[in-house]
Amino acid sequence: MTDKEKQELAELQKELVETQAELEKLLEESEEMDKEFSEAFEQIMASDTVDSDENWIMGINPNPPSGEAVSGEQYRLPDDYPLPREILQQHFPRTADQCNFSGGWGYDADHATIVKEFDPEINPDEKFDGVSLEYAFIDKRIREELIFSRPEGERFEELDSCTIEQRLMDINGVPHDCIRVEVTAHPEKEWNELKADWESHDFYKDDPEGREANLARKEACKITYQTEYYFNISDFF
C-alpha cells in the first residue's frame, strides 16, 4: 500500500468515526426529545379547542396504556378523506395558523406528512419548532380518525396516546421521522353510559365495589391500537 493509499484509508476511517459519533448524538437527541414532548405539546396545543361538542386535551402519556394493542388499520382515515392541508384548518380553527403541514396523512413513506417550520401560505409571521408540530399533528390525526371522520354515535371519547418508538430514517435521500404511537379511547355510547352511572352514584365515594365495577366496565370497552406516522422533515432537519 502506497503512502497516498494509507493516507486516504486513514481519512476514510476518520470520517467513519465522525459519522458514528454523529449517529450516536442523534440517538441521544431523540431520547431527549421524548422527555420534552409533553411540554412541547402543551405549548402548541394549549389554546386549541375542538370545533364541536367534544372538547378535551389529549396527553402524551410516558407510560404505555394497559390492554392489548391491535393494528390501527381499522381506524385509519379512508383513502378519499381530504388531505391535511385541506381540512385541519377547518377542524382546528383556533390553531389554524399552526397547521404547517402538506403531503398526506403519514400512514406510510409514500404518503408522508411534510412538516414545515416556516409556511408563508399559512403563517408568514412565525417560525415553529418542527418536533412540536409533529406531535401536534399526531393529536390532530387521531381526532380525525376517531371523531371527525365518524358519524355521531360511532365516535370515541377520552382519547389518549403515548409514543412507543421513534426512528430517524433516510428514504431515497430524504430524512424522515417515523413515530409509532399507541392510542386508547372509549366508544362514546359506552363512555356516556359509564359517566352517567358514575355521576348518578356520587362517584361511588362510599361504594368501593360499585366503583371497581364501573372502572372494570370502562376498561373492558376501551380500544387500544398502534399506528405509525411518517414525517418528511427535510424542511428543518
Side-chain angles (χ1 to χ4, degrees):
M1 182 179 293
T2 66
D3 291 342
K4 182 179 179 181
E5 289 173 336
K6 290 179 180 179
Q7 183 179 357
E8 290 176 348
L9 179 60
E11 290 176 353
L12 179 59
Q13 290 174 334
K14 180 181 178 181
E15 290 178 3
L16 289 173
V17 170
E18 291 175 348
T19 300
Q20 181 64 33
E22 184 64 24
L23 288 173
E24 292 176 356
K25 181 181 177 181
L26 288 173
L27 287 173
E28 290 176 0
E29 290 176 351
S30 177
E31 293 174 356
E32 187 65 24
M33 284 178 186
D34 284 336
K35 300 177 183 179
E36 299 174 356
F37 286 153
S38 294
E39 181 180 351
F41 179 83
E42 290 174 1
Q43 290 175 350
I44 198 168
M45 293 298 293
S47 62
D48 198 12
T49 302
V50 177
D51 188 24
S52 68
D53 292 336
E54 296 83 4
N55 181 9
W56 60 83
I57 296 296
M58 225 177 82
I60 300 297
N61 186 350
N63 299 309
S66 59
E68 183 178 353
V70 299
S71 169
E73 192 70 22
Q74 61 182 305
Y75 301 107
R76 67 180 290 163
L77 297 170
D79 292 339
D80 60 352
Y81 200 72
L83 294 174
R85 191 77 166 186
E86 301 170 11
I87 202 168
L88 289 182
Q89 294 180 80
Q90 173 187 340
H91 287 169
F92 302 93
R94 294 189 63 179
T95 54
D97 64 343
Q98 299 171 359
C99 294
N100 297 11
F101 311 108
S102 60
W105 286 102
Y107 289 107
D108 53 47
D110 291 336
H111 302 88
T113 304
I114 302 171
V115 181
K116 301 174 179 292
E117 279 191 317
F118 176 73
D119 192 331
E121 293 182 8
I122 292 181
N123 190 342
D125 301 321
E126 190 168 357
K127 182 177 181 180
F128 291 93
D129 174 67
V131 174
S132 296
L133 288 173
E134 287 180 350
Y135 277 82
F137 180 86
I138 287 173
D139 168 69
K140 287 174 168 57
R141 196 183 86 180
I142 293 171
R143 296 196 204 187
E144 294 290 342
E145 291 170 339
L146 300 183
I147 303 172
F148 290 109
S149 66
R150 295 174 176 272
E152 189 172 350
E154 297 180 15
R155 298 171 180 170
F156 292 83
E157 297 209 26
E158 204 188 37
L159 280 61
D160 196 10
S161 72
C162 69
T163 301
I164 302 299
E165 179 186 17
Q166 180 172 4
R167 306 190 308 276
L168 178 63
M169 305 176 66
D170 183 307
I171 300 176
N172 297 324
V174 179
H176 285 69
D177 263 346
C178 179
I179 302 176
R180 175 171 286 274
V181 171
E182 185 162 300
V183 181
T184 62
H186 294 79
E188 65 177 355
K189 180 178 182 295
E190 287 83 350
W191 174 255
N192 289 334
E193 291 174 353
L194 287 166
K195 181 180 178 182
D197 176 72
W198 185 265
E199 293 175 348
S200 67
H201 289 84
D202 196 23
F203 313 111
Y204 288 101
K205 293 177 182 177
D206 302 316
D207 183 0
E209 292 185 0
R211 177 187 178 90
E212 290 301 319
N214 182 287
L215 294 175
R217 294 198 302 274
K218 176 184 175 183
E219 183 67 22
C221 73
K222 180 176 69 176
I223 67 163
T224 303
Y225 67 93
Q226 292 188 4
T227 184
E228 288 188 330
Y229 293 76
Y230 285 81
F231 293 103
N232 178 329
I233 58 173
S234 58
D235 187 62
F236 63 91
F237 179 73

